[in-house]
Amino acid sequence: MDSGDKLYLECYSGISGDMTVAALLDLGADENVMREALESLPVQGFQIEIKRVTKSGIDACDFNVVLDAEHENHDHDMEYLHGHDHGHHHDGEESHGHSHRHDGEEAHGHSHHHDEEETCGHGHHHGGEESHGHGHHHGQEEACGHSHHHHDGEEAHQGVREEGYGHDHVHSHDHIHSHEDGHGHPHHHEHRGMAEIREIIGQGKMTEGARTLALKIFQILAEAESKAHNVPVDQVHFHEVGAVDSIVDIVAAAVCLDNLGIREVVVPMLCEGTGTIRCQHGILPVPVPAVANIMKLHRLPVRIVDAEGEFVTPTGAAIVAAVKTSETLPRDFSVEKVGIGAGKRNYERPGILRAMVIRDKSEERDTIFKLETNIDDCTGEALGYVMGQLFEAGARDVHYMPVFMKKNRPAWQLNVICGQKDIQKLEHIIFRETTTIGIRRVEMERTVLAREQKTVRTPLGEAQVKVCQARGVKRFYPEYDSIAKLAGNNQVPFSYVYQMVQKQCIDEL
């Protein structure tokens, strides 16, 4: 990306980790660099699929973290997340590898029973039959209708709060799932804290910029979970955030952002839905507590849309909080690249995240030339005359300053700023009117603000003002000649007129 380009995330349909990664890959992030980073992580149980899919007739990139049976968390299972009747569109457009059957059987091989006995939808039986195996609340599960029995009839880890928080180590469980075919397999859940996350990311093969960003995203999530569950940040051990797919999404997003060289990110609005969603901690309102806390702590702009569903996931909100540098789009910009990332959930709105590389046209880039020479035997009057001649011939700016040359000779350094087409005639004036025998010429890149002239009417008369716009903010520069004329005609101080004109400009905004 050009150093002046910005990334614009259009979150009309919300944002999630996998949508972000897909959109960045579609923009041109190096897939091989991302894969190398993910393969270097000391994490097992996943594979990466990258393909093209169609969402509401729009071609999009799909980034899919395929988990093995031990790590599956049903994050994209609409039937599990919302129940049988919520926003399930079988329009033949999705090809994400998730088959949802409404006869109680799912393509993942898990048997899901949505019975009335589970207040939060989770049934936990060690050695027996389990409804989903999606969340773990040890010690306080009865509040959400969980039944948790250990083989030996005793409560494991006595004296320790086992809600997924407050541990100082990776907390693993092997559960047996009973399937309709009579076969069971161990289900492995890992509750990781920031110490474990830092160790995992620290071993990954990535740039320091990508590593720092990934850890920043996780830290934002940890702070949100800390607030939601009223535990210190260093004691937060989170299942969903520390799950394999979240680690992969966050590291992949950080690596892609770093690879694209993105430094400025504009996110004008996050669109979030309504209703409830099933997660590790039970059935929660949208936005879920972690997302709401991120929105609050980082003052993210939010709009609640008239549609049911969770459009903004905790990972998506944390990514925005970590990278957003502005909420305001430039007044004038060009679109340099477009990337579209597909989501997995089917809601009323098309599940896509559009990412655009934009170039601020209010900050034009061009080249300018500087002519420079040292003059040691020219009078001040002659230099004053030369300055006037140079301005009349098209010089953008002229200045001279005292310098000391070899043998401590006092001299002047003359500098002229000009466009390429004016170089020859300006050099001719310098050679003709001064004693110099050589002129240095330098081509320079510059950034200039968009500008316009404005006439302002004040009680003292009319004044000319130069109006510039910097990153959406207007600046007013009264022209010297106008201010000097009004000050002289009205016999008032120059500074008084200058401030009056500026105030008039602001009042007219």
Side-chain angles (χ1 to χ4, degrees), residues 495-509:
S495 60
Y496 174 80
V497 180
Y498 191 94
Q499 292 172 7
M500 174 185 287
V501 173
Q502 276 201 321
K503 183 178 183 303
Q504 185 67 33
C505 291
I506 294 172
D507 290 343
E508 292 179 4
L509 277 177

Side-chain angles (χ1 to χ4, degrees), residues 333-402:
F333 63 88
S334 61
V335 178
E336 304 299 314
K337 294 180 181 179
V338 177
I340 298 179
K344 310 295 187 298
R345 302 176 184 177
N346 300 329
Y347 292 127
E348 296 175 12
R349 293 193 169 203
I352 59 172
L353 172 67
R354 184 159 61 175
M356 290 178 268
V357 174
I358 62 174
R359 186 163 296 169
D360 191 345
K361 302 304 288 186
S362 62
E363 296 181 1
E364 294 289 351
R365 287 167 177 76
D366 63 7
T367 56
I368 201 76
F369 284 82
K370 181 173 76 169
L371 309 179
E372 181 182 280
T373 184
N374 294 351
I375 308 170
D376 65 351
D377 54 357
C378 192
T379 66
E381 291 87 350
L383 286 173
Y385 177 78
V386 170
M387 177 181 283
Q389 292 289 302
L390 291 170
F391 274 124
E392 287 182 12
R396 307 286 182 85
D397 198 8
V398 180
H399 71 272
Y400 52 89
M401 54 189 173

Side-chain angles (χ1 to χ4, degrees), residues 5-295:
D5 290 343
K6 300 175 175 64
L7 176 66
Y8 165 34
L9 295 178
E10 185 188 65
C11 303
Y12 173 79
S13 296
I15 184 171
S16 64
D18 58 327
M19 293 166 73
T20 304
V21 177
L24 296 176
L25 288 172
D26 208 27
L27 274 180
D30 194 321
E31 179 183 333
N32 293 327
V33 171
M34 182 202 68
R35 284 186 179 273
E36 185 177 16
L38 295 179
E39 290 170 1
S40 68
L41 298 175
V43 176
Q44 304 298 322
F46 73 93
Q47 291 182 334
I48 297 301
E49 288 184 352
I50 299 172
K51 57 191 175 186
R52 308 301 301 185
V53 297
T54 301
K55 301 286 291 187
S56 298
I58 299 174
D59 176 65
C61 177
D62 177 58
F63 174 79
N64 192 22
V65 182
V66 182
L67 301 174
D68 62 20
E70 293 184 358
H71 297 85
E72 174 59 42
N73 63 9
H74 309 288
D75 187 54
H76 305 140
D77 181 352
M78 298 296 292
E79 181 178 337
Y80 171 75
L81 294 172
H82 297 288
H84 295 278
D85 300 322
H86 184 94
H88 220 60
H89 306 293
H90 299 277
D91 54 10
E93 293 185 334
E94 319 305 334
S95 55
H96 301 290
H98 290 272
S99 174
H100 304 292
R101 306 176 187 176
H102 293 272
D103 58 1
E105 188 175 325
E106 187 178 324
H108 298 296
H110 295 268
S111 175
H112 296 279
H113 306 283
H114 300 276
D115 53 40
E116 298 291 336
E117 296 178 2
E118 301 172 32
T119 305
C120 291
H122 302 272
H124 239 66
H125 305 279
H126 288 250
E129 183 173 330
E130 182 178 354
S131 295
H132 291 285
H134 183 66
H136 303 279
H137 293 250
H138 303 277
Q140 294 186 0
E141 291 176 331
E142 290 75 10
C144 287
H146 296 263
S147 176
H148 198 108
H149 305 290
H150 291 267
H151 293 290
D152 55 9
E154 295 181 3
E155 187 66 34
H157 308 286
Q158 292 182 2
V160 180
R161 291 179 61 197
E162 295 185 30
E163 305 171 49
Y165 309 93
H167 298 273
D168 296 322
H169 59 279
V170 175
H171 187 52
S172 302
H173 294 289
D174 286 329
H175 302 307
I176 303 298
H177 283 243
S178 177
H179 292 267
E180 292 182 353
D181 58 6
H183 299 287
H185 66 270
H187 200 81
H188 190 68
H189 288 289
E190 295 173 322
H191 298 260
R192 295 181 174 95
M194 281 304 298
E196 289 78 20
I197 296 297
R198 291 189 189 97
E199 183 176 352
I200 290 171
I201 295 177
Q203 296 182 45
K205 186 176 181 180
M206 65 190 83
T207 66
E208 284 307 309
R211 197 185 323 276
T212 298
L213 178 55
L215 289 173
K216 181 180 180 181
I217 295 169
F218 267 110
Q219 184 66 30
I220 290 170
L221 282 166
E223 291 170 355
E225 292 286 355
S226 169
K227 181 74 172 176
H229 301 282
N230 193 28
V231 296
V233 173
D234 60 354
Q235 293 182 24
V236 169
H237 280 65
F238 24 86
H239 166 73
E240 290 175 341
V241 173
V244 172
D245 56 340
S246 294
I247 293 174
V248 174
D249 283 345
I250 289 171
V251 170
V255 170
C256 288
L257 284 162
D258 179 77
N259 180 255
L260 288 170
I262 292 170
R263 297 293 176 265
E264 294 187 57
V265 181
V266 182
V267 185
M269 191 65 61
L270 290 179
C271 290
E272 178 62 295
T274 61
T276 61
I277 191 167
R278 190 190 310 270
C279 68
Q280 176 201 3
H281 306 291
I283 297 176
L284 299 177
V286 175
V288 297
V291 171
N293 287 335
I294 293 172
M295 291 173 173

Side-chain angles (χ1 to χ4, degrees), residues 477-490:
Y477 301 98
E479 296 287 3
Y480 169 81
D481 290 340
S482 291
I483 303 303
K485 181 178 179 180
L486 290 179
N489 290 344
N490 293 277

